Structure formats: C-alpha cells, structure tokens
C-alpha cells in the first residue's frame, strides 16, 4: 500500500513537471512569433474590448512597409489586367489605330480613366443626358455575339461577332446552315453545285463603306466557325471535284474548271454569262473588305469641325436641294444635290489644264444630336486654259442619295475650295416625310435638265440615279430665281405616285394624270395633256411619271408645271407643282 502510494506520487510529480515544461515551451514560442514592436508604434496600439493586458488586435495592426509594397503591387497588377482587357476585348473592334496608340502611351491610371471616359463621350449621341446609348448598345452587341456566334472561341472574337459588334444587325440575312444544293446566280457563273454552310449579310447602307454592302461568311470546316471571305467561290464544296458542280460555261465546254484557279484573281468563281466583269470589280471587293476590317476614319476633319461651328459665315456660295423618294414603308431615299458655280471655284494650272478642286462634307443629325448619315466627296473640274472664260458661268453639280427613316433631321453641309482656301457652310432642317399606306401620295416633283434610262448594271447606283432612271435636277440659283432653261434645251419632269387604289376584280389601278404648264404671268395653261393608267401597261399601286418637253415650244418667261392625279378607286387626288423659267 505504501509502495503503491509512493509510486503514484512519483508519477504525479513527473506529469506536473512535464506540463510545466510544455507550458514554458508554448510561452517561449509565442514570444518568438510575436513581432517586435517598432518604437514609433508604441502608444498607438489599440486594445481589443475585454483585453486588459495590452495585446494588439491582429485585425487592426498597421501593415508593415513590406506589406504595403506587396499590396500596392498586387493592386497595380489587377488594374493593369482590367485596362488590358478593355483595350483588347471591350473595344477591340471599334477603337481606331490613333486612339489605340494614344492609350498605350499613357503613364498612369488616372490618365487611362480619363481616356476611357472621353472615348465613350466622343461616341455618345446624346452627350447632354446621363445615358450613353452608344456604350449601352455596344455592350449589348458583345453579349449577343457571345450568345449566338461562339465557335470554340467567344463569339466576339469570331468574324460574324466582329461584324455584328461594329455594324449591328444586318438588314437581311441569307442563311444556309447546312449547305447542300445551291443554284448559283449568274454573276457567280450559274449552274448547280453543293456548298459548305454559309451566310450572306446584306446592309442597305454602312457609313464610310457604301450602299448595298453584302458580307459573305463560310464555314469550310463545318464546325460552326464562319469566317468572312472575299472569294465567293470558297463556299463551293465541289470546287476540287472533277466534272462536278460545273458552271453554265463549263457545262457547254466554253470554259474549263481548271480556269478557276489560273485566272490569278481574288475569286475562284467559274466562268458564266454574268462573270465577264468580275476582274474589274476585284479592287472594289478588296477595298470593301479593308474598310469592313477597321473603323472608318473621318476623311476631312477640318470640314467636320466646321459642321459644329455655330457662326454663320459663308464666303463661298453654293446651292443645296433635297428630294424625297419612297423606298419602303420605313425608308425614304433622300437625294442631296449640291451646285457650285465655276466662277466661285479657284482654278490652278496643272500641266496646261486649269483645275479646280472642292472638298464636300455633309452630315445629317437627329434632333437629339445623333448622327444619322454622313457623306464626303472631292469634286474636281478640269478645263482647258483657253476655254476657262467660256465655262465660268456654268456649274459643278454633285449628288448623294441617303436612305433615312421618316422624321425631322438637320442637314449640315460644308464645302472647301482647296486652291483658294475658302469655306462655305449650309445648315437647314430636313423634314423627311412619311408615306402612309392608306393615303395617296407622291415623291418630290423634279424638274430635270437630264433624264434617261440607265443600263441594267447601273440600276440604283451612281450620281442622280433613282431606280432605273438618271434624273439630274435643274438647280435654282441662290438669288431666289427658279431653275432656268435655254430655248435649245429640253425640260424633263419626273415624279412617282404611291398608294393608288387597285380594283379587286381587275387587280389594276384606275386613275387619270393631267399635265399643265401654266404661264405664271397670265396664269393660263400653255401646254395640257391627259393620260390614264389604263394605257400605262402592267402597273400596280405605284407608278413613275416621266415627261419631256422642248423649251423651244415656250416663249421666254416664268412657268409652273402642275401635275394632277385623280384616283377613281380611292377617290383621292393630289396636285404637286414646281416653277421654272425659260430664257
């Protein structure tokens, strides 16, 4: 019993010494781990509630200099990644080369933040409001592209995503997601073949690129990766298969399939009835591809600045005319015609020829200040030196047709005489009319000095061309006098009529059109004619009126052309008029 108790005391003593030793080691270890206090920090340490022993709360302990440097470096790296992402992803397709270079040269984050703010502000269509519609639409397009056009990579990186982000949704998409049998149009050689999946995007108008822009995307790997192509023959899946997918000429033996690859052209289309002019259009396709790949720069920056100038200063006179022609229920074609007299242009001798050069810049904006359309052109006049005195009273005339939605706009035009360094400005409201489907209406009545049918290949293209007809308006002078014709010239009248009533049984309109040329002095009709839609052939609810009259049949004086349309089905009528003079 005694020995047992003695053993227990020994064991108990041993355990006590062991525990004391462990406690000493723990305290020593804690003192080693505790950072040595800086004399400068003494008296600043905070004490946690409930702690009366002066221990510093680790959560409120001031960071050391080393920790501050590490935190700053981590923050800089994080911010650097965000700026890099903004440049290489957010605005990769809309930032210009000049802006990109300027951004890369910035030295601190404050400058970068200011740059980004200015970047979006420059593109804000309504800078006087809090919202930036351009920025919001841009990020919506990125989201849409990522959702609809991924191909193993994010949608914004694909060609379709890039075009969508830059130019928005196409006006029309011709999609062939499975490829298969394809009847070639004549301008691609005709005949039938089989294709890879492809899409054609059609834009009615793209600023800085042109009208009727068609972009083709082809998925040659059949993996969903559609790439933009210049070569319309790339979608032909039978291109390298002998005696398969032949064009019309290849079927008739007039061409060989091998010719597709030896013509040294941009496209590998086979020869056909409509491909003779392909070589001449290669540079046009190459130019369009280049413009589509980069945000278009402003051509005449000095003239663009003049547009925003508020002072009305017009040392160089010129005349501006606007007409309105319905295209669809939502689109109106607005031909803008500009006339500059030769006597107001400075001519300079160039290799024995007197040359005058005028730069033109125009902008159409909405009431909120958003740019709807812009146009720019260089007009050049070359006159033999010996004939300069004779042509000084004639004029240079330029036209640009702009597709616009009905509404109220503002038109600004600036011209610059390059040789004389003179600038003229023009500013006017531009009310684009609506053409409701249930109301008889008409386009502008144009009094023209030139009116002729154009070749099929030029339909809808070129200056003064409206549909299938070239119509060059006779411009009024700046002194308020109407358009004037010489006795040896022809008078041409052009107008379209819309929404004629159509008979349910005959499916034809029934209307009469009266033409009256009235002497403005006597107010009497000197020329009168009547025609009916019954004699106009197969027409629908729209008709184009074209009349030509020799000015020699009229005595010198002021006149008014009146065209009265009476629709016997809808019981509606209209009577537009225009004035002109005969010298």
């Amino acid at each position: 019993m005694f020995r047992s108790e003695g053993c227990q005391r020994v064991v108990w003593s041993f355990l006590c010494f062991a525990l004391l030793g462990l406690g000493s080691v723990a305290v020593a270890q804690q003192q080693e781990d505790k950072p040595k206090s800086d004399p400068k920090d003494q008296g600043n340490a905070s004490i946690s509630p409930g702690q009366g022993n002066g221990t510093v709360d680790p959560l409120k302990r001031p960071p050391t200099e080393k920790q501050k440097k590490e935190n700053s470096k981590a923050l800089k790296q994080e911010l650097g990644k965000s700026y890099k992402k903004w440049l290489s992803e957010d605005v990769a397709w809309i930032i210009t080369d000049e802006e990109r270079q300027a951004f890369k040269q910035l030295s601190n984050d404050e400058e970068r933040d200011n740059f980004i703010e200015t970047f979006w502000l420059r593109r804000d269509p309504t800078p006087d409001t809090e919202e930036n519609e351009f920025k919001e639409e841009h990020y919506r397009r990125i989201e849409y592209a990522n959702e609809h056009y991924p191909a193993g990579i994010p949608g914004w990186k694909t060609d379709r995503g890039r075009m969508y982000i830059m130019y928005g949704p196409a006006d029309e998409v011709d999609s062939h997601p499975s490829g298969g049998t394809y009847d070639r149009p004549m301008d691609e050689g005709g005949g039938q073949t089989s294709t890879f999946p492809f899409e054609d995007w059609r834009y009615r108008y793209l600023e800085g690129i042109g009208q009727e822009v068609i972009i083709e995307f082809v998925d040659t790997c059949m993996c969903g990766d559609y790439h933009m192509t210049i070569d319309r023959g790339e979608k032909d899946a039978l291109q390298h298969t002998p005696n398969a997918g032949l064009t019309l000429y290849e079927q008739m033996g007039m061409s060989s399939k091998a010719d597709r690859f030896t013509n040294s052209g941009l496209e590998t289309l086979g020869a056909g009835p409509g491909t003779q002019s392909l070589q001449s259009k290669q540079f046009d396709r190459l130019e369009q591809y280049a413009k589509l790949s980069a945000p278009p720069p402003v051509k005449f920056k000095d003239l663009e600045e003049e547009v925003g100038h508020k002072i009305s200063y017009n040392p160089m006179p010129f005349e501006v005319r606007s007409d309105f022609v319905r295209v669809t229920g939502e689109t109106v074609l607005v031909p803008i015609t500009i006339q500059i007299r030769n006597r107001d242009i400075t001519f300079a001798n160039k290799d024995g020829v007197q040359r005058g050069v005028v730069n033109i810049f125009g902008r159409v904006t909405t009431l909120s200040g958003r740019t709807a359309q812009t146009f720019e052109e260089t007009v050049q006049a070359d006159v033999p030196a010996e004939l300069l005195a004779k042509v000084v009273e004639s004029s240079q005339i330029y036209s640009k047709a702009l597709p616009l939605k009905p509404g109220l706009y503002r038109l600004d035009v600036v011209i610059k005489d390059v040789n004389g360094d003179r600038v003229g400005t023009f500013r006017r409201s531009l009310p684009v009319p609506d053409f409701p489907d249930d109301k008889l209406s008409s386009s502008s009545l144009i009094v023209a000095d030139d009116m002729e049918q154009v070749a099929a290949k030029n339909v809808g293209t070129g200056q003064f061309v409206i549909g299938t007809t070239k119509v060059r308006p006779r411009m009024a002078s700046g002194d308020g006098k109407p358009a004037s014709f010489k006795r040896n010239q022809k008078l041409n009248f052009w107008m379209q009529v819309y929404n004629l009533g159509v008979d349910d049984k005959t499916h034809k309109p029934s209307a009469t059109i009266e033409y009256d040329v009235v002497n403005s002095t006597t107010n009497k009709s000197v020329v009168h004619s009547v025609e009916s839609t019954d004699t106009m052939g197969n027409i629908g609810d729209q008709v184009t009126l074209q009349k030509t009259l020799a000015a020699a049949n009229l005595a010198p004086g002021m006149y008014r052309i009146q065209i009265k349309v009476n629709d016997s089905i809808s019981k509606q009528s209209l009577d537009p008029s225009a004035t002109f003079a005969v010298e």
Side-chain angles (χ1 to χ4, degrees):
M1 182 67 179
F2 176 78
R3 178 178 290 182
S4 176
E5 289 179 357
C7 290
Q8 289 178 352
R9 290 191 185 98
V10 171
V11 172
W12 178 252
S13 300
F14 179 81
L15 289 175
C16 289
F17 279 113
L19 290 173
L20 288 172
L22 289 175
S24 301
V25 171
V27 171
Q29 184 66 38
Q30 183 177 4
Q31 290 177 345
E32 289 180 5
D33 292 341
K34 181 178 179 180
K36 297 179 180 180
S37 59
D38 193 324
K40 294 184 294 184
D41 294 335
Q42 292 181 359
N44 294 330
S46 59
I47 299 177
S48 299
Q51 293 182 345
N53 56 1
T55 304
V56 178
D57 184 356
L59 296 179
K60 297 184 179 181
R61 184 183 303 145
T64 63
E65 291 299 322
K66 182 179 180 181
Q67 290 174 329
K68 287 181 179 180
K69 290 181 179 180
E70 291 178 351
N71 292 342
S72 177
K73 183 178 180 181
L75 180 60
K76 185 175 181 179
Q77 290 176 347
E78 183 67 24
L79 291 177
K81 291 179 181 178
S82 66
Y83 289 123
K84 184 177 180 180
K85 177 180 178 295
W86 181 85
L87 186 64
S88 62
E89 181 175 341
D90 290 27
V91 298
W93 307 133
I94 64 172
I95 190 169
T96 65
D97 291 340
E98 294 81 5
E99 289 174 322
R100 186 183 300 274
Q101 291 300 323
F103 185 81
K104 289 182 176 180
Q105 293 175 3
L106 299 178
S107 57
N108 57 66
D109 291 347
E110 183 179 359
E111 291 179 352
R112 297 184 184 98
D113 291 336
N114 290 335
F115 180 97
I116 293 174
E117 183 179 357
T118 304
F119 176 89
W120 293 118
L121 185 61
R122 291 177 62 190
R123 290 158 171 79
D124 188 359
T126 57
D128 54 338
T129 63
E130 293 185 3
E131 296 79 11
N132 187 325
E133 294 82 359
F134 179 92
K135 182 179 179 181
E136 294 174 0
E137 171 64 10
H138 176 71
Y139 281 103
R140 184 202 67 79
R141 291 180 183 180
I142 293 178
E143 183 179 358
Y144 184 93
N146 287 336
E147 183 177 351
H148 290 82
Y149 306 127
I153 56 176
W156 70 270
K157 287 186 176 182
T158 65
D159 282 358
R160 288 188 300 172
R162 176 162 59 99
M163 291 298 104
Y164 185 88
I165 291 170
M166 292 173 66
Y167 303 111
D171 296 306
E172 181 180 325
V173 176
D174 181 18
S175 180
H176 301 260
S178 302
T181 303
Y182 176 65
D183 293 320
R184 295 190 194 91
M186 286 301 174
D187 63 343
E188 294 184 13
Q192 191 179 82
T193 187
S194 183
T195 70
F196 296 110
F198 74 96
E199 288 185 359
D200 284 342
W201 289 15
R202 183 180 73 87
Y203 291 89
R204 285 193 294 268
Y205 175 78
L206 289 179
E207 182 179 331
I209 298 176
Q211 299 181 14
E212 293 301 318
V213 178
I214 298 178
I215 308 173
E216 186 158 284
F217 304 91
V218 182
D219 178 16
T220 52
C221 67
M222 302 189 71
C223 59
D225 185 11
Y226 289 78
H227 64 271
M228 185 168 65
T229 180
I230 303 178
D231 180 11
R232 290 172 292 173
E234 190 176 359
K235 62 178 174 287
D236 190 347
L238 302 179
Q239 192 175 59
H240 300 282
T241 305
N243 300 319
L246 302 179
T247 67
L248 291 181
Y249 279 8
E250 291 169 351
Q251 293 174 22
M252 294 185 290
M254 299 173 62
S255 176
S256 169
K257 197 169 185 180
D259 295 340
R260 303 188 191 184
F261 310 100
T262 59
N263 60 9
S264 67
L266 291 174
E267 297 189 288
T268 56
L269 295 172
T275 61
Q276 291 86 350
S277 61
L278 287 180
Q279 292 290 338
S280 62
K281 295 182 178 180
Q282 290 188 74
F283 288 104
D284 294 337
R285 295 184 64 81
L286 194 61
E287 181 183 15
Q288 174 180 298
Y289 187 89
K291 288 181 177 179
L292 286 171
S293 301
V298 178
K299 190 175 181 181
F300 303 130
K301 294 184 181 296
D302 55 337
L303 301 192
E304 185 181 24
E305 293 171 359
E306 288 288 342
V307 167
H309 207 275
K310 302 301 182 182
I311 300 176
S312 178
Y313 179 59
N314 191 20
M316 185 174 181
F318 62 100
E319 287 77 46
V320 178
R321 171 191 173 97
S322 57
D323 294 294
F324 307 100
V325 181
R326 188 186 73 172
V327 178
T328 67
E330 295 294 327
T331 306
V332 178
L333 190 67
V334 184
I336 306 295
T337 308
I338 299 170
Q339 178 176 269
I340 309 167
R341 290 172 295 187
N342 285 335
R343 67 174 179 226
D344 294 319
I345 301 175
T346 303
F347 286 83
N349 191 292
K350 182 72 173 178
D351 299 328
V353 176
Q354 293 294 320
R355 174 171 295 173
V357 181
V358 175
N359 289 340
I360 300 175
F361 179 87
R363 175 186 289 166
V364 177
T365 54
T366 64
L367 293 181
S368 62
R370 181 180 65 85
T371 299
Q373 295 281 4
T374 61
F375 59 92
E376 47 195 343
E377 192 63 62
T378 297
V379 177
Q380 180 175 300
D382 291 331
V383 181
E386 62 274 12
L387 299 179
L388 183 60
K390 295 183 180 180
V391 302
V392 70
E393 292 303 321
S394 60
S395 301
Q396 301 297 321
I397 187 169
Y398 164 80
S399 179
K400 181 67 175 180
L402 306 175
L404 294 169
K405 293 183 178 181
L408 183 59
Y409 300 85
R410 191 185 78 178
L411 172 64
D412 292 275
V413 179
V414 180
I415 67 171
K416 181 177 181 179
D417 180 18
V418 175
N419 295 329
D421 200 26
R422 301 168 62 205
V423 175
T425 60
F426 172 90
R427 179 177 291 115
R428 187 178 67 188
S429 62
L430 184 67
V432 178
D434 188 13
F435 296 97
D437 295 335
D438 58 348
K439 183 179 179 181
L440 184 67
S441 56
S442 69
S443 69
S444 301
L445 171 56
I446 301 177
V447 181
D449 56 16
D450 185 16
M451 184 173 69
E452 57 183 342
Q453 297 296 308
V454 299
K457 63 179 180 179
N458 295 328
V459 170
T461 61
Q463 290 195 66
F464 312 110
V465 175
I466 305 176
T468 61
T469 310
K470 177 183 178 182
V471 185
R472 187 175 66 188
R474 188 70 168 182
M475 296 281 289
S477 60
D479 54 7
K481 295 181 180 179
S484 180
F485 293 82
K486 302 291 185 181
R487 296 292 303 282
N488 61 349
Q489 292 180 318
K490 289 185 177 181
L491 293 160
N492 302 284
F493 310 115
W494 185 94
M495 187 180 78
Q496 287 184 342
V497 180
Y498 312 117
N499 305 322
L500 288 168
V502 178
D503 186 85
D504 294 335
K505 295 181 180 179
T506 63
H507 303 290
K508 294 181 179 180
S510 178
T512 58
I513 298 98
E514 298 182 38
Y515 300 88
D516 276 296
V517 177
V518 179
N519 188 308
S520 299
T521 304
T522 62
N523 205 30
K524 291 183 179 180
S525 176
V526 294
V527 177
H528 178 79
S529 66
V530 180
E531 61 182 19
S532 171
T533 54
D534 298 335
T535 62
M536 293 182 178
N538 187 20
I539 62 173
D541 64 347
Q542 175 176 319
V543 61
T544 300
L545 307 178
Q546 302 180 67
K547 282 293 181 183
T548 300
L549 174 67
N553 296 334
L554 301 174
M558 302 286 292
Y559 294 89
R560 182 175 67 255
I561 172 67
Q562 292 181 333
I563 301 179
K564 187 171 184 179
V565 181
N566 292 301
D567 188 352
S568 59
I569 295 179
S570 67
K571 307 302 180 184
Q572 299 180 69
S573 64
L574 51 85
D575 54 349
S577 64
T579 59
F580 62 93
V582 176
E583 298 179 356

